[in-house]
């Protein structure tokens, strides 16, 4: 049997490591742990459960697990910044599934680690599914993998303060165009400022990558999330009536500008969700993942849910 088919995140509780069942106890354990880097690569994802971490104490935990926390610059998901490079998880309506993805895989640089912490869990549903990204790649049909081998081209249309999607100010966390220009020059992107204050950004990215430690080749792109076909029939139809493909807030093609068939991205989306393992949140849980080895998403929910995220 393929062991990846039975993979699940490793769970670590206070009794497993001889720590107090508090956030301070978790911090003390992390300060003395010397094998966490190796264990994260081996396990791909770790769940710290039973330590009662809160919104007031998560920064101390992140300081130990996410050295050099990153700002969510050039991110395309709606989030709220709540602390020093601490954000809410993607703020999509609760009735929707967020499909599997590796954070910022469409960008020139991406975080190697993500940390999630559940600080409100008064809900039904709302699990964070995680998927082995190597298994995800292997699950795709040969013709789909071959079609994506040349990479993908992402395009963003960011408005200047009013319009569909995100503004460039929110995306780059600045109101200064020169700061944006400087950032984009370092990313091998092409971009154009429009007379209406908007910004169009295009970048070519590979569809897979190799983990620097294990050498495993993994699926590592967000073509399915950027493709109109995953908006749903009615939403896609409504947007197509008012916008050309190149005017969408975000869109994706193959590297040579050929359209990606809808059935390809739907296969990618569905296979990832089918193979995913759900992390069912308990209040105070912390989930740490290797962002190359593991994709993540969100199940729909009813009620109140608040999950914070940091990146490193």
């Amino acid at each position: 049997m393929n062991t990846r088919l039975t993979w699940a995140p490793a769970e670590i509780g206070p009794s497993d490591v001889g720590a107090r069942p508090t956030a301070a106890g978790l911090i003390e354990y992390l300060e003395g742990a010397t094998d966490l880097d190796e264990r994260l690569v081996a396990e791909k994802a770790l769940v710290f459960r039973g330590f009662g971490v809160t919104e007031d104490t998560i920064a101390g935990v992140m300081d130990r697990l996410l050295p050099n926390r990153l700002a969510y610059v050039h991110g395309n998901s709606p989030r709220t910044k709540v602390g020093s490079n601490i954000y809410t998880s993607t703020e999509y309506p609760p009735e929707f599934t967020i499909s599997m993805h590796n954070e910022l895989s469409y960008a020139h640089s991406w975080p190697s680690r993500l940390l999630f912490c559940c600080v409100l869990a008064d809900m039904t549903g709302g699990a964070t599914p995680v998927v082995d990204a190597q298994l995800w790649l292997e699950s795709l049909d040969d013709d789909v993998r071959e079609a994506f081998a040349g990479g993908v081209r992402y395009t963003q249309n960011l408005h200047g303060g009013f319009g569909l999607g995100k503004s460039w100010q929110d995306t780059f966390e600045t109101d200064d165009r020169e700061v944006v220009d400087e950032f984009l020059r370092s990313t091998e992107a092409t971009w154009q400022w429009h007379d209406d204050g908007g910004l169009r950004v295009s970048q070519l990215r590979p569809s897979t990558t190799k983990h620097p430690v294990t050498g495993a080749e993994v699926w590592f792109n967000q073509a399915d999330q950027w493709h109109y076909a995953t908006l749903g029939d009615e939403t896609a139809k409504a947007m197509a009536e008012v916008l050309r493909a190149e005017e969408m807030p975000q869109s994706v093609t193959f590297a040579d500008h050929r359209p990606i068939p809808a059935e390809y991205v739907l296969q990618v989306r569905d296979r990832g969700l089918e193979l995913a393992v759900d992390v069912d949140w308990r209040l105070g849980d912390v989930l740490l993942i290797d962002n190359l080895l593991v994709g993540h998403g969100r199940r729909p929910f009813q009620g109140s849910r608040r999950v914070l995220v940091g990146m490193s």
Side-chain angles (χ1 to χ4, degrees):
M1 174 185 256
N2 187 333
T3 57
R4 289 194 299 280
L5 292 175
T6 59
W7 171 81
E11 187 172 316
I12 300 173
S15 62
D16 299 320
V17 293
R20 293 180 293 146
T22 63
L26 176 56
I27 291 171
E28 290 171 2
Y29 160 67
L30 296 175
E31 287 176 340
T34 59
D35 63 343
L36 275 178
D37 290 348
E38 294 79 6
R39 187 168 185 185
L40 179 61
V41 171
E43 302 285 1
K44 304 177 184 178
L46 304 172
V47 179
F48 298 92
R49 175 162 284 161
F51 293 95
V53 180
T54 66
E55 189 157 346
D56 291 333
T57 56
I58 185 56
V61 176
M62 286 190 178
D63 288 344
R64 275 71 180 180
L65 289 173
L66 299 180
N68 305 314
R69 267 198 315 278
L70 302 174
Y72 187 59
V73 175
H74 205 180
N76 70 325
S77 297
R79 304 180 187 272
T80 301
K81 194 171 186 176
V82 299
S84 177
N85 290 342
I86 302 174
Y87 301 83
T88 58
S89 57
T90 301
E91 296 172 353
Y92 283 158
E95 64 268 24
F96 294 122
T97 296
I98 299 176
S99 60
M100 310 309 295
H101 60 287
N102 304 79
E103 199 65 45
L104 287 166
S105 58
Y106 53 83
H108 180 259
S109 60
W110 54 81
S112 60
R113 290 183 180 182
L114 299 182
L115 185 150
F116 302 87
C117 179
C118 182
V119 296
L120 179 61
D122 186 16
M123 77 283 191
T124 302
T128 292
V130 289
V131 65
D132 180 325
Q134 183 180 357
L135 181 61
W136 191 7
L137 172 63
E138 293 171 355
S139 76
L140 301 176
D141 293 350
D142 290 345
D143 60 336
V144 173
R145 291 200 304 271
E146 290 168 5
F148 276 96
V152 292
R153 187 177 302 277
Y154 301 98
T155 300
Q156 288 173 292
N157 288 302
L158 304 169
H159 61 79
F162 180 77
L164 289 172
K166 292 184 71 174
S167 69
W168 62 263
Q169 293 93 334
D170 286 340
T171 299
F172 295 99
E173 296 190 0
T174 182
D175 293 321
D176 189 334
R177 289 191 182 194
E178 291 185 3
V179 171
V180 177
D181 288 338
E182 181 178 0
F183 175 85
L184 290 175
R185 273 193 290 272
S186 70
T187 67
E188 301 177 8
T190 58
W191 70 100
Q192 179 181 6
W193 293 100
H194 296 308
D195 293 340
D196 63 2
L199 172 66
R200 180 181 175 88
V201 181
S202 179
Q203 52 187 342
L204 178 63
R205 300 292 308 142
S207 62
T208 67
T209 193
K210 290 188 177 181
H211 192 274
V213 176
T214 70
E217 185 177 10
V218 296
W219 187 250
F220 197 74
N221 70 83
Q222 284 171 243
D224 60 312
Q225 291 194 331
W226 286 57
H227 197 282
Y228 73 90
T230 59
L231 295 173
D233 292 343
E234 294 303 318
T235 302
K237 180 180 178 182
M239 293 190 72
E241 289 175 351
V242 296
L243 295 173
R244 298 191 301 272
E246 63 272 18
E247 295 174 329
M248 295 283 190
Q250 58 188 39
S251 60
V252 64
T253 65
F254 288 125
D256 59 4
H257 301 281
R258 286 181 299 118
I260 301 175
E263 60 268 26
Y264 285 11
V265 295
L266 293 176
Q267 180 183 129
V268 169
R269 181 197 65 186
D270 294 345
R271 298 271 171 93
L273 286 167
E274 289 165 5
L275 293 168
V277 176
D278 284 353
V279 175
D280 293 305
W281 289 110
R282 302 177 193 172
L283 188 65
D285 281 355
V286 172
L287 168 64
L288 180 69
I289 69 174
D290 184 306
N291 187 44
L292 274 74
L293 295 176
V294 174
H296 66 280
R298 190 201 70 189
R299 304 293 188 187
F301 67 94
Q302 293 180 326
S304 299
R305 175 190 190 272
R306 184 171 172 87
V307 175
L308 304 181
V309 62
M311 312 171 194
S312 178

